[in-house]
Amino acid sequence: MSLATLTTEELLQLLANAGLDITEDERRKFIENEVDGETVDHGLTEAMIAYLFEKSFKKQLKFRDFVQQNKEVSFNLEVLPPSPAVEPMFVDTPAPSKQNRVRLPAIISIPRFPNDVQHKLDAKEPCHKVSKYRNTIVRTLYEMMSQYTMFPSNQEYVQVAKALILKYPFLKDIDGTGYHTWHMSLKRKFKTERAPLVDDAEVKKYKDKYAQSRKSKAMDGSAAAGPKQARASSELAVIGEDSTSIEAHVRVLKEQYKKMQPDMVIVKDRMTRTFTWRRREIVEGISVEDLITTYPFLTTSSGLYDEVDSIHPAPVPVYRRIRENLSAVLPKLLSLVKDSSPLKIIYLDARNDALAEEHAAIDTRGGIALLPSIFKEKIENLMILGQGEPNTPYPTIQVKVQDWKTAIARKAESVIVVDGVKVCSCIGIEEAFIAAFCMYFVLNMEYPSHLKNTMAFFQRSIAQILLNGEKLSTPVTRIINLLY
């Protein structure tokens, strides 16, 4: 029986047989809105399905599965039986011709993929971690969608990406929505395929339509991603403290900083008491020089770690989380860098020349130095060798050696410079990297565009700091998928 021939009562009976417990209120909605087989076959929007089953996400998903399965049966039996010698590339309602493009169906049936990929998917293998197979999946989805339109809407990209994850849950992204990288891969695929179609009427129409909006966005620009949370506001409450008490706390901190062995119990207590006041000063634009003069313990790596722990409290201190998570992911991280990379050759050379007991430390420093290259960003934007002065206001590490092999092979003295001010001295580029990362939070700075993926990955995956409303970029999500 074809889905399109079902009456409302027959449709409801089939839904009940499929395991959907239809309530009287839901039955009434089906009848009042004349939702029969023909209506479903034409395609219900997500809003319509949500209205029919407004109190149950589970029923909405089951209903979509029911429609998808029954459309596939109808297609196989009544419209286009596949030849035994030819394997169908996808199972869905017939696609319109290029001359008569329409939007995608409300219920998407994921196509069958080429045999090598389909066998891996059926075996639930994470084949999407291999570029060859991932590209095949994206290409097949593109071929299905392009039969409807060369300009899918954002909703349609999401619709197809969600359908893919629903059918093959093991393809889900480790982080975020679960389908973001697939969404972005499809968008890029369409953009690439549209580029040569200069004579295609639809392409021309959409290019003309959106050219002006793209130009406006380019002129406006966008802020770099990063930890900056607080905006200009002086409304932060400072409970139990005023300018006089803060001055007293600051005097104590300065006195302790002058000592060879400060009393860290006193230091932590006074830093805690001045924390809210200090955060307000930073939001209001205190200079880096004035900040470290007032709170000198922010010039130590341990002081920076403590400050981040106060900003983003967690059961495990940030420094310990970073060291443990970095060690766990380091082997895979290093394997992502091509052996032909000049810096990786230097790292491997340093490792080969070192004693076995030094390998762990060299791997850590090598991983830190090579991390930006995984995102096609440059370590030179974060670390400079020798005595050169940084030409950026962002935290920059000056490594006091002249070559990368030495910087990776041993703990080289390093200084972190922010906005022309030398803030913190460290031993080893690994300590300096962590301290520089912490400075973005301490100083309420956004990540610069030329390092945003490196820092966003380190923040989310290594430091495990989650920010409200933050979305990871596609490159970062893809690397997280490969590593975990």
Side-chain angles (χ1 to χ4, degrees), residues 194-259:
R194 285 195 300 257
L197 304 180
V198 292
D199 294 327
D200 187 285
E202 185 183 19
V203 174
K204 282 187 175 182
K205 180 183 74 173
Y206 277 89
K207 279 186 176 179
D208 292 342
K209 180 177 180 180
Y210 294 113
Q212 186 58 44
S213 63
R214 286 197 301 268
K215 183 178 178 182
S216 299
K217 286 182 181 179
M219 292 177 66
D220 291 342
S222 59
K228 189 169 185 178
Q229 294 276 298
R231 301 301 174 192
S233 170
S234 58
E235 301 302 318
L236 294 175
V238 184
I239 301 173
E241 302 289 350
D242 56 24
S243 58
T244 303
S245 64
I246 294 295
E247 285 179 10
H249 296 322
V250 167
R251 277 197 304 272
V252 173
L253 287 170
K254 290 180 177 179
E255 289 169 1
Q256 288 293 323
Y257 188 73
K258 293 176 183 177
K259 296 180 179 180

Side-chain angles (χ1 to χ4, degrees), residues 20 43 82 112 116 156 232 305 311 340 406 425 433 456 477:
L20 269 80
R112 180 174 179 81
D116 58 337
E156 287 170 332
Y305 306 151
I311 298 169
S340 59
T406 305
S425 295
F433 185 99
T477 305

Side-chain angles (χ1 to χ4, degrees), residues 56-71:
S56 174
F57 291 154
K58 187 173 183 179
K59 286 186 180 181
Q60 292 176 34
L61 291 172
K62 280 191 172 184
F63 180 78
R64 291 190 183 99
D65 287 345
F66 167 84
V67 174
Q68 179 177 329
Q69 292 166 7
N70 281 274
K71 275 195 171 187

Side-chain angles (χ1 to χ4, degrees), residues 25-263:
D25 184 52
E26 290 163 351
R27 176 181 291 274
R28 176 182 56 77
K29 289 179 180 179
F30 270 82
I31 295 171
E32 289 180 354
N33 291 279
E34 300 180 313
V35 180
D36 54 14
E38 183 181 10
T39 308
V40 172
D41 192 53
H42 281 307
L44 298 180
T45 66
E46 291 194 9
M48 293 175 182
I49 297 172
Y51 170 74
L52 293 173
F53 303 101
E54 63 180 342
K55 294 182 179 179
S56 174
F57 291 154
K58 187 173 183 179
K59 286 186 180 181
Q60 292 176 34
L61 291 172
K62 280 191 172 184
F63 180 78
R64 291 190 183 99
D65 287 345
F66 167 84
V67 174
Q68 179 177 329
Q69 292 166 7
N70 281 274
K71 275 195 171 187
E72 289 176 353
V73 170
S74 174
F75 183 90
N76 285 334
L77 296 180
E78 300 180 15
V79 181
L80 186 63
S83 166
V86 180
E87 192 167 354
M89 282 301 294
F90 65 93
V91 181
D92 207 332
T93 51
S97 67
K98 186 175 178 181
Q99 287 74 29
N100 184 30
R101 299 174 192 267
V102 296
R103 308 320 305 178
L104 269 65
I107 305 297
I108 291 294
S109 293
I110 292 300
R112 180 174 179 81
F113 298 97
N115 285 340
D116 58 337
V117 175
Q118 191 63 54
H119 290 159
K120 292 181 180 297
L121 293 174
D122 293 341
K124 298 184 179 179
E125 293 183 24
C127 57
H128 61 300
K129 295 188 177 184
V130 179
S131 297
K132 172 187 171 183
Y133 300 131
R134 184 184 180 90
N135 292 339
T136 300
I137 294 172
V138 172
R139 186 186 71 246
T140 306
L141 294 177
Y142 158 77
E143 288 168 353
M144 180 267 288
M145 296 173 69
S146 64
Q147 294 185 64
Y148 293 89
T149 177
M150 286 298 290
F151 277 89
S153 67
N154 189 69
Q155 182 181 358
E156 287 170 332
Y157 283 125
V158 171
Q159 183 185 7
V160 173
K162 279 184 176 180
L164 177 69
I165 298 306
L166 185 64
K167 188 166 185 177
Y168 303 108
F170 52 92
L171 299 181
K172 186 176 181 181
D173 293 339
I174 298 295
D175 200 277
T177 62
Y179 56 83
H180 177 68
T181 60
W182 294 105
H183 178 186
M184 293 297 104
S185 293
L186 280 170
K187 288 186 75 172
R188 279 196 300 274
K189 177 65 174 174
F190 270 90
K191 184 177 180 180
T192 301
E193 295 295 333
R194 285 195 300 257
L197 304 180
V198 292
D199 294 327
D200 187 285
E202 185 183 19
V203 174
K204 282 187 175 182
K205 180 183 74 173
Y206 277 89
K207 279 186 176 179
D208 292 342
K209 180 177 180 180
Y210 294 113
Q212 186 58 44
S213 63
R214 286 197 301 268
K215 183 178 178 182
S216 299
K217 286 182 181 179
M219 292 177 66
D220 291 342
S222 59
K228 189 169 185 178
Q229 294 276 298
R231 301 301 174 192
S233 170
S234 58
E235 301 302 318
L236 294 175
V238 184
I239 301 173
E241 302 289 350
D242 56 24
S243 58
T244 303
S245 64
I246 294 295
E247 285 179 10
H249 296 322
V250 167
R251 277 197 304 272
V252 173
L253 287 170
K254 290 180 177 179
E255 289 169 1
Q256 288 293 323
Y257 188 73
K258 293 176 183 177
K259 296 180 179 180
M260 290 292 292
Q261 293 184 327
D263 186 331

Side-chain angles (χ1 to χ4, degrees), residues 293-344:
T293 299
T294 307
Y295 306 100
F297 283 94
L298 292 181
T299 63
T300 66
S301 54
S302 60
L304 292 167
Y305 306 151
D306 288 344
E307 192 79 349
V308 172
D309 284 329
S310 296
I311 298 169
H312 295 286
V316 180
V318 66
Y319 182 74
R320 198 172 115 202
R321 290 202 308 273
I322 289 173
R323 298 298 299 219
E324 291 175 354
N325 294 330
L326 186 58
S327 295
V329 81
L330 204 51
K332 287 186 178 180
L333 200 65
L334 288 166
S335 71
L336 292 179
V337 184
K338 294 180 180 179
D339 289 342
S340 59
S341 163
L343 189 53
K344 186 167 185 181

